[in-house]
Amino acid sequence: MKLRFLGHSGFQITDGGHEVVIDPFMSQNPATSVEASEVAPSHILLSHAHGDHYGDTPAIAERTGAAVVGAVEIANYVSQRGMQGVGMNIGGGFAFPFGQVRFTPAWHSSSFPDGTYGGMPTGIVLEMGGKRIYHAGDTALFSDMRLIGRKGLDLAMLPIGDFFTMGPDDALEAVKLLAPKAVIPIHYGTFDPIRQDGGAFKARVESETDARCLVLEPGDDTEL
Ligand code: NI
Ligand code: MN
């Protein structure tokens, strides 16, 4: 499985002939040079409807015909705008051709840029290419993260930006609850209120837990 960090909370994940994208936010992202035209997924997985996650979904879906997978309110919204929506909900999983997707709780809110309610925000557990990874979306720390990690996680993508989500202190607690093999910090450095030191977070993760921490710049890729 190959991951490319698109910036903010966005990832392109490829394995064999499959490509999926999570939370693509590039064209309005001042901190990434990756362009929306560089991805061609069959499915776009959305953690919630906020503009910094929904982002380039319409342009990518229109160009590629990608299905948009998220909370049922997200699927309804995109379906009304000519996209193909797949509406799921928290706790539910489904085996797609590329792998298994399961939506988890997230403590946050969810509305589209035009104010339309986006349903409950979510995290995403994706099993693909023999790996199990958790994208936390935007969330506060919560103790049920222990349940999300109970089957073992090869990777957790966790927000560390603070202000809108958990910051580095709580994200470090999240790593202890989830016990993943690897961590990628996300949702920081994009805007002024969420500036954080990724290297300092990595040092704390690797001294206080067994996880290794990968600090990726937008556009970087890594093999899992
Ligand atoms: Ni958000
Ligand atoms: Mn966000």
Side-chain angles (χ1 to χ4, degrees):
M1 173 196 275
K2 195 171 134 190
L3 292 102
R4 186 174 190 220
F5 182 46
L6 304 176
H8 201 53
S9 294
F11 288 88
Q12 176 193 45
I13 301 170
T14 52
D15 172 66
H18 298 289
E19 173 179 341
V20 299
V21 160
I22 301 177
D23 288 359
F25 170 63
M26 291 97 95
S27 61
Q28 301 298 312
N29 180 345
T32 191
S33 56
V34 182
E35 310 228 357
S37 60
E38 295 174 40
V39 301
S42 65
H43 295 74
I44 300 167
L45 313 181
L46 294 181
S47 66
H48 64 298
H50 285 157
D52 57 320
H53 300 258
Y54 182 60
D56 294 299
T57 294
I60 296 167
E62 188 178 329
R63 176 172 51 82
T64 65
V68 179
V69 184
V72 67
E73 291 83 357
I74 289 177
N76 290 344
Y77 182 92
V78 302
S79 297
Q80 286 161 6
R81 285 157 181 79
M83 293 171 258
Q84 184 196 338
V86 180
M88 296 176 64
N89 219 321
I90 293 167
F94 185 71
F96 291 88
F98 58 85
Q100 173 88 13
V101 173
R102 186 165 55 86
F103 284 96
T104 69
W107 278 100
H108 191 63
S109 63
S110 180
S111 53
F112 286 91
D114 67 6
T116 304
Y117 176 59
M120 295 290 282
T122 60
I124 299 164
V125 174
L126 171 64
E127 292 177 40
M128 184 169 164
K131 306 287 184 187
R132 185 182 299 113
I133 69 177
Y134 168 55
H135 186 292
D138 282 2
T139 187
L141 174 67
F142 54 97
S143 59
D144 282 355
M145 284 179 174
R146 193 186 300 280
L147 298 176
I148 295 169
R150 72 195 186 283
K151 288 182 178 172
L153 293 170
D154 294 290
L155 173 68
M157 295 100 128
L158 302 176
I160 68 162
D162 220 338
F163 201 87
F164 302 112
T165 67
M166 55 187 177
D169 291 351
D170 283 353
L172 185 62
E173 289 300 311
V175 175
K176 293 173 184 175
L177 292 169
L178 292 159
K181 289 184 186 152
V183 178
I184 297 176
I186 61 174
H187 210 271
Y188 73 100
T190 316
F191 313 111
D192 271 334
I194 58 171
R195 302 237 175 262
Q196 298 293 342
D197 183 340
F201 179 71
K202 173 183 167 75
R204 292 176 73 191
V205 167
E206 295 189 344
S207 72
E208 293 186 39
T209 79
D210 293 329
R212 97 195 139 91
C213 184
L214 311 170
V215 176
L216 301 182
E217 296 298 323
D220 283 356
D221 50 40
T222 188
E223 196 87 33
L224 199 64

